[in-house]
Amino acid sequence: MTEGQSTFPRRDTAGRISGLGDLLGVVLAGLVVGVLALVLFDWVVTIMGTGEFGRANGWLALILPAWIFVEDFRAWPSGPARVVTALVSAAVAVTAGLLAAGLAQELPTLWSGALAATVAAGAYAAIWFHVIRWLDRRTG
């Protein structure tokens, strides 16, 4: 890579995403792509006459952000801190996402699920990013 080029997201030498803004940016991009794919899929199903628009599960938008989270998880050294941080982050994220879906239950499932996925991904990213680094400073 030449000196003028940079990568996104920025990563440290171990391959870990180095900034919360980078992590949130990649997660948001993944969510947008996921939601657009679901809208397209739902639209095709509606045109074929086999369903009603808005009935796709919006939680599926989490597929690409989950991939990012798994890659960042793998970049950290093995140990119980990494696993516990991931489990706690996931528990809080799912709870926050379910709460958001419940509050948006009047919306079609595509949109309430997409909102829930966005809340869950943001919660996971924020907790994971801060806690794993805090634990790394305390143990390392």
Side-chain angles (χ1 to χ4, degrees):
M1 192 176 334
T2 65
E3 202 173 306
Q5 293 177 325
S6 65
T7 61
F8 185 79
R10 291 173 295 166
R11 296 181 185 267
D12 62 12
T13 56
R16 302 175 295 215
I17 295 176
S18 59
L20 180 59
D22 289 335
L23 180 59
L24 289 173
V26 171
V27 166
L28 181 60
L31 284 166
V32 168
V33 169
V35 169
L36 289 175
L38 285 171
V39 167
L40 179 63
F41 175 77
D42 209 19
W43 179 68
V44 168
V45 168
T46 302
I47 286 178
M48 291 179 5
T50 58
E52 182 179 321
F53 186 78
R55 306 301 274 176
N57 189 339
W59 279 93
L60 292 172
L62 273 178
I63 292 171
L64 292 175
W67 188 357
I68 297 295
F69 296 141
V70 167
E71 289 301 315
D72 202 51
F73 175 85
R74 291 177 60 206
W76 285 88
S78 296
R82 172 177 86 151
V83 174
V84 170
T85 302
L87 291 175
V88 169
S89 299
V92 172
V94 168
T95 302
L98 289 172
L99 179 61
L103 293 173
Q105 65 185 348
E106 299 298 321
L107 297 173
T109 56
L110 173 64
W111 304 118
S112 65
L115 174 66
T118 303
V119 169
Y124 186 95
I127 294 167
W128 165 260
F129 185 85
H130 291 297
V131 173
I132 195 67
R133 281 159 179 77
W134 178 75
L135 288 172
D136 188 50
R137 283 192 303 271
R138 290 192 44 114
T139 61

